[in-house]
Amino acid sequence: QQPVQSPQAVILREGEDAVINCSSSKALYSVHWYRQKHGEAPVFLMILLKGGEQKGHEKISASFNEKKQQSSLYLTASQLSYSGTYFCGTGYNAGNNRKLIWGLGTSLAVNP
Amino acid sequence: GAVVSQHPSRVICKSGTSVKIECRSLDFQATTMFWYRQFPKKSLMLMATSNEGSKATYEQGVEKDKFLINHASLTLSTLTVTSAHPEDSSFYICSAATLGGGETQYFGPGTRLLVL
């Protein structure tokens, strides 16, 4: 039931783009994206709910393809501050059950 | 908004002692709090879900008598690691969610526990 994230790791030069995918074998209700820097707690980026929406947050956006049971996180014109590990958390029920199942993470390093 | 604090940030204790970790939502009421454990370079492992005023729901394989969770108010949940052993050393993170908050979990800064 754990979502599969790909790729496992990405190395970019500043200004380059990246796409991180999160796939589920089970029908999704929600996908949550977080970034975690070493030794710190995860920081919320965005949430996508069932309905196939796309959201944007500065130069970071995400899409949710309900049919494919997949979400993609798009990082454009990457900055040094984007470095960290990106986790997707997947929700399978609406309402009171907020439990998320987390992917293994994608490590992103942005170099000058 | 949506700030969650954890205390302590780091703790070193001797084997056999108990350690209490506090998780507080500072500017919102958290109807649900989650406790996670994370090993170096690994994903978040959910330990338990706690709802204010009721017993926590533990994930399979997590000993409820060893990891005591109390969610006494809408702004405070505590995790007590009882009779800690070196294998309990880890990074413990809590997150909080609020009713009507759109399912988002807000994470605390984490507590690094080292059991000697």
Side-chain angles (χ1 to χ4, degrees), chain B residues 35-37 39 45-49 56-69 79-81 88 92:
Chain B
W35 286 96
Y36 294 91
R37 185 173 177 177
F39 293 101
M45 186 191 84
L46 179 64
M47 298 174 67
T49 302
T57 303
Y58 289 81
E59 294 299 302
Q60 196 171 12
V62 178
E63 297 176 61
K64 61 181 180 182
D65 294 330
K66 181 165 183 62
F67 298 99
L68 299 176
I69 291 171
L79 166 69
T80 301
V81 183
D88 298 326
Y92 291 88

Side-chain angles (χ1 to χ4, degrees), chain B:
Chain B
V3 179
V4 177
S5 71
Q6 261 183 262
H7 178 80
S9 56
R10 285 177 181 269
V11 58
I12 301 173
C13 69
K14 290 185 179 179
S15 192
T17 60
S18 293
V19 175
K20 182 187 277 190
I21 302 169
E22 290 187 350
C23 178
R24 291 181 187 272
S25 56
L26 299 185
D27 52 2
F28 67 101
Q29 293 186 325
T31 47
T32 306
M33 285 186 171
F34 301 89
W35 286 96
Y36 294 91
R37 185 173 177 177
Q38 188 177 36
F39 293 101
K41 296 187 180 180
K42 296 291 184 185
S43 187
L44 298 157
M45 186 191 84
L46 179 64
M47 298 174 67
T49 302
S50 80
N51 293 296
E52 187 265 336
S54 62
K55 287 185 179 180
T57 303
Y58 289 81
E59 294 299 302
Q60 196 171 12
V62 178
E63 297 176 61
K64 61 181 180 182
D65 294 330
K66 181 165 183 62
F67 298 99
L68 299 176
I69 291 171
N70 185 278
H71 193 159
S73 75
L74 284 170
T75 59
L76 174 65
S77 177
T78 60
L79 166 69
T80 301
V81 183
T82 61
S83 187
H85 290 285
E87 58 264 30
D88 298 326
S89 299
S90 193
F91 190 48
Y92 291 88
I93 316 176
C94 72
S95 71
T98 184
L99 197 63
E103 315 284 332
T104 301
Q105 292 186 28
Y106 298 97
F107 283 84
T111 296
R112 196 160 297 281
L113 171 64
L114 177 61
V115 185
L116 302 176

